[in-house]
Amino acid sequence: MLPVACKSARLGFSGAPLCWAVAWVVMIMCPVAPVMGAEQAPSSSQAQQQAPPAPQHVTTPTVPHREPVANQPAEVSSGESAEPAADAGQRWPGEPGPDQAVVEGSKVRVEGGKLVAEGGVTVRTPDLTITSDRVIIDESRKWAEFTGNVSAQSQTSHSTAASLHINLDSEEWSITGGRTTVEPEFFQPGQVLEPLFLRAESATGKAKNGPIEAHNGLFTSCNLEHPHYAIQSPDITVIPENKVIIRKPAFYLFGHKIIRFPFNLVFDLTGKQNRFFPEIGQNAMEGYYAKFAYLYLAGKAGEGFLRLHLTQKRGIGLGIDHTIDTARQFGRGSIFLEPSYGALTSRITHRYQISSTLRSDFAAGYQTNSGYFGNTSTLVSLFTLNRQAGNTRTELGLQRSLSRGSYSTSDRFTLNFRQELGPANNRWTLRSVMRDSSFGADQPSDEELETELRWRRRGTVIDWEWLYQNRWDLDGDRYTGDAGRFSLNRVPALVVSTDSDRVAALNLFGRLDSRVSLYLGRFLQLPDDTKVYRMAVDGRFGGHEYRLAGDLRARHELQFRQSFYDDGSAQYATRFLTQVRRDFGSHWHTRLRYNYANTRGFAPLRLDYSGRRNDIYFEAIRLSPQHSRLELSTGLDIINGRWRDALLRYEVMTAASSKVQLQAGYSLSRSQWRPASIRWITAARDRYYMALVANYDIERSQLTRATMDLDWRWHKWWRIQLLTGYSGYSHELDNISVQLTRDLHCWVASLAYDKQMKELRLNLGLKAFPSNERMLGVGRSGARFESSMGQYY
């Protein structure tokens, strides 16, 4: 073995996860010396005559207690000198260590200062393995050239090339005759779903994470030698972790050129808007429709896509979505117009890093006559300035919200300010909010100002918190809607607290951790205009579970609060919770819980209002792993003398791939059955999943609800997904969502119908890339219809 010093960190791919043409990213490696077999190793005198000047401190290490082996791999370490292998820990010979490469070869010679290795050349690092028929490293140790069956293999990609030429210092590289397979794991989660296949006559790169240029390239996700489809381009540029630019590509289908785009295609690596095929369908709002999108590039920092919607009921829709992204700012805006319907939807967001400590954020949205939310116009805008410097944070924000409809108008303006000073254990916070709200031209505005000043300090023994909080009605009596508004102002209030972690004497009985707080303050309560001074002591004890004996465990919590007021009233409140758990064998687990809360006296402040509670709850669970689970529970409300419903939940595996769930309840107070639910689930990996749910009213002897969730791949090319519900009251299927999918090898086509949306959709796309089509069962408002049986409480 012959270690050689090198400057680069380790051999590996140049660049982080990119997109398609990133497959031509090549290896960055350090200058390496090939392995010399025993029969080819020159003598020391020959090496001195033929070898170029070597780095200092180059030695030939030995492995303790092991005889030299011919063709043993050479280790290449990073650093100014190589250390003996005996100092490299217990690494197995030939295994690459951190920041090292291992080179293997059968024939090695030195020609004019160049190191030449031939015959089964292998370069390995912890992340990558490169093989070739031949490698040449120049005498300056800057350039390496691999030729003949060049192959690079990593965990997420595999590349082959006719030749690879790389500068070991500048990381500049070039390849010819390259082919690469990139696995989905190479990308960010969810960006790519199938392997990608790339070819290029040549490709070059100039630095790690720098742009990559590929020439006469081909891209496809079809794994055939003659793919069903392909995108070819004379020039492709990859900007790592940003975008891929394909210049005037041609689209081939079954080997025939279908179209050559007169413009460049841009693929965004940060989003999921790469849609090139129209979405075709029909729904109640738009009628029959076809929706198109075209991505474009606007300089180095800007990109977006144009949208064209052709609809039966709403006419033509035109839109644009644009993104700008630089080192200091990021902005995204969109606008969509339907002229024949007078509809407009727009939104914009922008973030700008003004300096290292100051940042601005802006967001706005406007829509009118969208059709989905009625004939209303809404405008929402928000602007915020944030400054963060050391332990000081300042925020200033303005917000405007305007909504106009056929019968009402609402206009709200909000100005807020926030300032935080000091470290976390000794911090001042000032917050102020001013609101101006109007609800029609004939109505006076509601004007308010809220201010809060807070100081918190955590000490070695005691925590302090001082708070001043007040609300001012700036409009006086002009706006009458304030008459019934509740608010509680602290003008001011002080809290002093400590706990048993810092004061050992507060640990009751040596088992119950505690926290004790003292409250002092003056309060103003509206709208009843109550002004009162309050002093209170609050103690909280316990909360941790501990073992009593054997399988018996307990947890106790106790709270006591005593309050006094300057009007002569007083109140105390107590709360007690105890819980005991016990296991009987390995299957039965029980829990008994008692909860008590009570209040005595009178409190003029709503802050101290609290209710009464006195109840017992019991639960028993029988668990048989991988087979069944039985749960029984009930309780007693002692105050009202009412039993809690007795509930039964049972789940059993009927087979290795199916299970049944049952849920039922009985009202002990009313002596009547609650509706019962039963659910059957069966599944086989990669083949089908089905869940059937039935809700049955035992008292009425009536099926009230039945749902089915089905996902069935009945053929390697066909898949059906169904989500439907039957109402026992209307005796009809009130919800149907179904989608039929056809696998077209590297393509996928789907036909979907949604009864609730009254929509029929046809989508055609590539399997390798996720689709933005609406999820199965998701309604217009975003709520998802699910096949489930609910749960009793």
Side-chain angles (χ1 to χ4, degrees):
M1 296 188 298
L2 178 64
V4 179
C6 65
K7 295 181 180 179
S8 58
R10 68 167 57 180
L11 182 149
F13 275 115
S14 171
L18 318 175
C19 196
W20 304 346
V22 79
W24 294 298
V25 170
V26 217
M27 299 68 71
I28 303 165
M29 58 186 166
C30 26
V32 294
V35 172
M36 299 181 181
E39 67 280 6
Q40 289 91 12
S43 64
S44 59
S45 60
Q46 291 174 332
Q48 292 176 1
Q49 294 174 1
Q50 299 177 8
Q56 297 179 357
H57 307 298
V58 174
T59 61
T60 303
T62 60
V63 180
H65 311 295
R66 185 178 298 272
E67 294 295 328
V69 180
N71 296 326
Q72 185 165 291
E75 296 186 359
V76 180
S77 61
S78 61
E80 295 302 325
S81 64
E83 297 296 332
D87 297 334
Q90 300 299 320
R91 192 173 66 256
W92 187 263
E95 177 187 355
D99 301 333
Q100 290 185 333
V102 172
V103 181
E104 297 173 316
S106 58
K107 298 180 181 180
V108 175
R109 65 181 182 275
V110 179
E111 296 179 352
K114 297 181 180 180
L115 295 178
V116 180
E118 295 178 325
V121 176
T122 301
V123 179
R124 292 187 295 113
T125 73
D127 302 320
L128 184 68
T129 299
I130 306 173
T131 61
S132 67
D133 294 337
R134 176 185 174 97
V135 62
I136 300 176
I137 303 174
D138 73 334
E139 58 184 3
S140 64
R141 301 297 192 269
K142 287 187 177 181
W143 287 94
E145 184 173 3
F146 292 81
T147 56
N149 298 315
V150 180
S151 173
Q153 178 75 49
S154 72
Q155 292 184 351
T156 57
S157 64
H158 175 250
S159 300
T160 61
S163 66
L164 161 66
H165 197 60
I166 183 168
N167 186 302
L168 307 172
D169 289 338
S170 66
E171 301 180 354
E172 180 180 354
W173 55 266
S174 64
I175 61 171
T176 58
R179 288 196 176 198
T180 297
T181 300
V182 185
E183 300 297 332
E185 293 78 13
F186 186 76
F187 303 90
Q188 297 293 333
Q191 282 187 333
V192 176
L193 307 179
E194 298 280 339
L196 304 181
F197 307 95
L198 308 108
R199 307 172 190 175
E201 286 187 5
S202 63
T204 59
K206 294 186 177 180
K208 185 176 181 179
N209 291 328
I212 299 168
E213 299 288 344
H215 309 287
N216 294 326
L218 176 147
F219 157 78
T220 184
S221 58
C222 183
N223 60 353
L224 302 177
E225 178 64 25
H226 302 287
H228 291 150
Y229 85 95
I231 297 177
Q232 294 187 14
S233 171
D235 295 290
I236 299 175
T237 300
V238 180
I239 302 176
E241 299 182 350
N242 192 341
K243 61 176 72 72
V244 177
I245 306 167
I246 304 180
R247 289 175 174 81
K248 297 183 178 179
F251 180 75
Y252 285 78
L253 191 61
F254 297 102
H256 301 283
K257 184 168 68 174
I258 304 301
I259 184 175
R260 178 173 291 279
F261 293 89
F263 43 76
N264 299 337
L265 289 182
V266 182
F267 294 85
D268 182 11
L269 303 183
T270 62
K272 297 182 180 179
Q273 300 293 344
N274 299 316
R275 180 163 56 87
F276 299 95
F277 305 102
E279 180 183 349
I280 302 172
Q282 183 269 340
N283 59 37
M285 184 60 61
E286 299 169 312
Y288 293 98
Y289 62 79
K291 299 179 181 180
F292 303 83
Y294 160 63
L295 279 80
Y296 65 86
L297 181 67
K300 295 182 179 180
E303 62 188 22
F305 63 92
L306 302 173
R307 289 187 286 164
L308 171 64
H309 292 189
L310 305 178
T311 65
Q312 177 188 16
K313 294 184 179 181
R314 299 181 66 85
I316 298 177
L318 301 171
I320 181 173
D321 292 53
H322 187 80
T323 300
I324 181 172
D325 190 1
T326 67
R328 300 183 62 179
Q329 64 175 320
F330 176 83
R332 178 170 292 168
S334 68
I335 183 170
F336 187 77
L337 177 66
E338 294 173 304
S340 62
Y341 209 80
L344 174 66
T345 302
S346 62
R347 60 183 179 273
I348 184 173
T349 60
H350 185 264
R351 170 170 290 188
Y352 185 66
Q353 194 69 39
I354 302 172
S355 67
S356 60
T357 60
L358 185 62
R359 188 191 78 229
S360 68
D361 292 273
F362 175 72
Y366 175 76
Q367 73 86 22
T368 181
N369 296 335
S370 68
Y372 291 96
F373 301 99
N375 294 326
T376 61
S377 299
T378 60
L379 170 66
V380 178
S381 60
L382 173 65
F383 177 74
T384 306
L385 281 174
N386 286 278
R387 184 179 184 273
Q388 179 80 47
N391 291 325
T392 302
R393 179 190 173 193
T394 306
E395 179 180 307
L396 177 64
L398 298 92
Q399 184 175 359
R400 172 81 183 280
S401 175
L402 174 64
S403 177
R404 288 194 179 98
S406 303
Y407 304 102
S408 63
T409 300
S410 173
D411 190 0
R412 302 172 184 267
F413 175 80
T414 304
L415 173 65
N416 63 77
F417 174 79
R418 185 181 182 92
Q419 175 93 41
E420 296 183 8
L421 302 170
N425 62 349
N426 189 11
R427 197 162 185 83
W428 285 91
T429 303
L430 172 64
R431 185 182 68 87
S432 183
V433 180
M434 186 182 74
R435 297 184 179 89
D436 187 332
S437 306
S438 61
F439 305 96
D442 300 332
Q443 297 290 332
S445 298
D446 180 17
E447 301 172 6
E448 298 179 0
L449 175 64
E450 295 180 4
T451 299
E452 177 182 297
L453 179 62
R454 185 189 299 265
W455 171 66
R456 288 177 174 173
R457 185 180 188 278
R458 179 174 176 83
T460 306
V461 178
I462 296 177
D463 297 337
W464 300 82
E465 181 176 2
W466 180 86
L467 175 63
Y468 178 87
Q469 189 180 57
N470 201 3
R471 181 180 76 87
W472 287 275
D473 188 6
L474 302 181
D475 59 81
D477 296 329
R478 294 193 304 274
Y479 180 74
T480 58
D482 291 330
R485 180 173 299 172
F486 168 78
S487 68
L488 183 64
N489 302 323
R490 296 163 174 84
V491 285
L494 176 67
V495 182
V496 182
S497 58
T498 188
D499 54 57
S500 56
D501 290 338
R502 290 175 284 182
V503 180
L506 296 178
N507 194 326
L508 264 112
F509 312 114
R511 288 195 174 189
L512 297 179
D513 295 338
S514 61
R515 182 173 182 84
V516 178
S517 303
L518 173 65
Y519 298 84
L520 299 170
R522 181 176 183 268
F523 293 82
L524 172 60
Q525 181 174 276
L526 298 175
D528 51 353
D529 199 29
T530 299
K531 300 177 182 178
V532 65
Y533 285 91
R534 171 182 179 264
M535 181 182 73
V537 178
D538 184 276
R540 299 169 186 257
F541 308 92
H544 297 290
E545 186 177 79
Y546 58 93
R547 188 178 300 276
L548 292 176
D551 294 330
L552 189 63
R553 288 160 292 177
R555 178 170 67 91
H556 305 293
E557 295 181 27
L558 174 64
Q559 180 184 0
F560 176 80
R561 186 185 70 243
Q562 175 70 66
S563 303
F564 301 95
Y565 310 91
D566 67 336
D567 62 356
S569 57
Q571 181 198 68
Y572 72 88
T574 56
R575 178 179 176 271
F576 176 69
L577 170 67
T578 185
Q579 178 176 283
V580 178
R581 295 197 305 159
R582 183 172 182 180
D583 300 334
F584 293 92
S586 60
H587 295 294
W588 281 99
H589 312 276
T590 62
R591 180 176 61 160
L592 179 64
R593 185 182 67 201
Y594 175 68
N595 203 333
Y596 174 85
N598 201 4
T599 305
R600 290 285 189 269
F602 173 76
L605 298 177
R606 294 185 179 90
L607 173 70
D608 292 325
Y609 288 4
S610 58
R612 300 171 59 204
R613 184 168 185 174
N614 192 4
D615 57 66
I616 299 174
Y617 173 79
F618 174 76
E619 179 184 61
I621 297 176
R622 188 186 189 282
L623 181 62
S624 179
Q626 307 299 323
H627 180 260
S628 63
R629 184 181 190 275
L630 173 65
E631 178 182 341
L632 301 169
S633 63
T634 187
L636 174 63
D637 182 351
I638 299 176
I639 294 178
N640 298 306
R642 179 179 300 172
W643 284 94
R644 186 173 180 174
D645 287 358
L647 301 181
L648 165 69
R649 296 185 180 96
Y650 181 62
E651 180 177 308
V652 60
M653 296 293 297
T654 56
S657 60
S658 64
K659 66 179 179 180
V660 174
Q661 297 172 316
L662 173 65
Q663 180 177 268
Y666 183 77
S667 174
L668 299 174
S669 300
R670 299 183 179 182
S671 300
Q672 67 180 28
W673 287 97
R674 299 298 189 188
S677 300
I678 186 171
R679 186 183 193 188
W680 176 58
I681 302 174
T682 180
R685 171 175 284 186
D686 299 329
R687 287 189 56 203
Y688 65 85
Y689 168 86
M690 183 171 65
L692 297 174
V693 179
N695 297 325
Y696 187 78
D697 190 327
I698 300 176
E699 294 290 327
R700 299 181 180 181
S701 301
Q702 180 183 5
L703 177 68
T704 58
R705 185 73 178 167
T707 59
M708 181 175 70
D709 189 351
L710 174 67
D711 188 344
W712 181 25
R713 189 181 296 274
W714 82 81
H715 190 274
K716 64 179 181 179
W717 294 337
W718 290 96
R719 177 187 181 189
I720 187 170
Q721 296 168 274
L722 174 65
L723 188 60
T724 184
Y726 169 80
S727 171
Y729 300 104
S730 60
H731 302 289
E732 66 175 5
L733 294 174
D734 56 3
N735 190 88
I736 302 175
S737 295
V738 60
Q739 180 170 293
L740 183 65
T741 304
R742 176 63 158 86
D743 188 324
L744 301 171
H745 186 67
C746 48
W747 295 69
V748 62
S750 65
L751 180 65
Y753 171 74
D754 190 297
K755 180 179 181 181
Q756 195 177 53
M757 294 283 293
K758 297 181 180 179
E759 182 178 55
L760 181 67
R761 241 177 17 256
L762 174 63
N763 281 277
L764 179 66
L766 298 174
K767 287 173 61 177
F769 302 98
S771 172
N772 286 333
E773 63 181 317
R774 188 177 297 109
M775 293 177 58
L776 188 72
V778 175
R780 183 180 303 162
S781 61
R784 189 179 193 277
F785 170 71
E786 294 181 306
S787 176
S788 63
M789 61 182 183
Q791 186 172 350
Y792 289 109
Y793 294 95

